């Protein structure tokens, strides 16, 4: 079965514009790669789009400097969704140039499919990577327009009063807002007409139009409206990120997980604690590296997801985990949280032993935990206690650790 051509047959190709530098929101990386609830904006946007089986193939247009950032995003998609992505291409100097590049790439890629199968949808959607809140309903409305018009854009009535501004930055009149609309993406077009309009715009020296409707208007086409969505904001300013995170968090519930681990001392010259090798007059008996901090932490993370325990995912009977470095167990559990659309927000760990002392290694361990968990050290509790010479830890027979993790999960 040739799944790819089946997909093309029933699908609408989409150009996702992700080439902007977008530093207005601060933070160094372009805004489409900034984290929103621990996940890149681009990943949120792609997942929202690919949730609709009618969408695809998706042609991302990116900045050449961002290839590694982009690939890290694609790696987070399901395998089936990855097959709906065309290889990314480099954008132009402007948004208009980037869309044109995306359309040209799709045109070459789909040409044979277009000829081989005249049932392929000849529409195309254009969407901004910085609009991660595109909803299924909005996509429904866009796709419904695909069969009806040559060009259609989602629009909102303008509710604020709009003023014209003079050269001195003062009010120079009041616009009649009843004749104005705020326009979003996804915009939907007849593929061939949009590509022709883009080629024509370049010929006439126009190269900085801010949306594709403007390209079609310039070519003399009538553009229709359909209902936009107030939640479908374009992340632009710092405030947009803050408000979006607050909104997304309001839809999540906090869960906690508890972890506990013990290893007995044996002959040796070091122990592993929190991913740090610590010289010691004994070692620990373990199948892996015997890192009680990372094992307790892994179980806490899995516990928050009600997703089994470390022994279930990494059975001691399995030879491949012999001597394994335990950071991979934590990375696995953190990945499971991400797969569930969750966000790790806090961990707290207690080491229980008479020796070695935690103090001298605390900062090194915090650095490792921060990297593994994707948390700032201000969100990682790390402390130690002895058990007053009582019990197995008190007698110096071994090490124990407890961990608790707080995770936000989609409701
Ligand atoms: Mg263990």
């Amino acid at each position: 079965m040739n799944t790819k051509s089946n997909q093309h047959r029933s699908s609408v190709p989409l150009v996702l514009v992700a080439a902007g530098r977008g530093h207005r929101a601060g933070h160094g990386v372009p805004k489409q790669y900034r984290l929103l609830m621990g996940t890149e904006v681009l990943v949120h946007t792609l997942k929202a789009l690919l949730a609709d089986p009618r969408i695809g193939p998706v042609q991302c247009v990116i900045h050449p400097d961002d290839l590694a950032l982009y690939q890290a995003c694609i790696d987070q998609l399901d395998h089936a969704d990855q097959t709906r992505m065309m290889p990314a291409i480099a954008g132009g100097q402007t948004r208009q140039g980037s869309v044109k590049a995306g359309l040209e790439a799709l045109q070459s890629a789909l040409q044979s499919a277009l000829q081989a199968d005249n049932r392929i949808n000849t529409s195309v959607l254009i969407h901004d990577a910085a609009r991660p809140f595109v909803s299924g309903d909005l996509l429904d409305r866009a796709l419904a327009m695909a069969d009806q018009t040559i060009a259609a854009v989602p629009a909102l009535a303008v509710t604020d009063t709009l003023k014209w501004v003079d050269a001195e930055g003062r009010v120079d009149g009041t616009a009649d807002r009843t004749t104005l609309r705020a326009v979003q993406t996804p915009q939907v077009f007849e593929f061939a007409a949009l590509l022709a309009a883009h080629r024509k715009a370049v010929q006439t020296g126009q190269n900085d139009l801010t949306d594709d409707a403007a390209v079609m208007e310039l070519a003399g086409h009538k553009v229709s409206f359909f209902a936009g969505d107030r939640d479908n904001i374009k992340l632009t300013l710092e405030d947009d990120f803050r408000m979006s995170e607050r909104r997304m968090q309001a839809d999540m519930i906090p869960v906690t997980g508890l972890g506990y681990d013990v290893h007995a001392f044996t002959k040796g010259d070091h122990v592993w604690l929190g991913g740090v090798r610590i010289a010691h007059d004994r070692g620990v008996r373990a199948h892996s590296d015997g890192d009680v901090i990372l094992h307790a932490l892994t179980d806490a993370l899995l516990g928050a997801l009600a997703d089994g325990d470390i022994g279930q995912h990494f059975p001691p009977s399995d030879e491949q985990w012999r001597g394994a470095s335990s950071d991979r167990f934590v990375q696995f559990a953190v990945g499971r949280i991400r797969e569930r659309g969750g966000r790790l927000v806090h961990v707290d760990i207690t080491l229980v032993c008479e020796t070695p002392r935690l103090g001298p290694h605390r900062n090194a361990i915090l650095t490792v935990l921060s990297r593994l968990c994707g948390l700032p050290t201000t969100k990682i509790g790390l402390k130690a206690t002895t058990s007053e010479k009582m019990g197995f830890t008190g007698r110096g027979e071994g090490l124990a650790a407890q961990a608790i993790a707080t995770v936000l999960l989609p409701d």
Side-chain angles (χ1 to χ4, degrees), residues 261-263 295:
D261 192 49
V262 166
H263 282 278
H295 293 184

Side-chain angles (χ1 to χ4, degrees), residues 350-356 358 383-388 393 400 402:
T350 299
L351 174 70
V352 187
C353 61
E354 302 295 318
T355 59
L358 177 69
K383 52 220 184 301
T385 183
T386 69
S387 30
E388 301 281 339
T393 50
Q402 296 179 323

Side-chain angles (χ1 to χ4, degrees), residues 6 62 86 112 119 149 152 161 171 176 235 237 269 280 296 378 385 391 411:
N6 285 347
I62 66 171
M86 307 289 286
S112 50
R119 281 181 299 171
T149 55
T161 294
V171 171
D176 174 8
L235 297 174
L237 306 171
D269 61 1
H280 195 51
T378 52
T385 183
D411 202 355

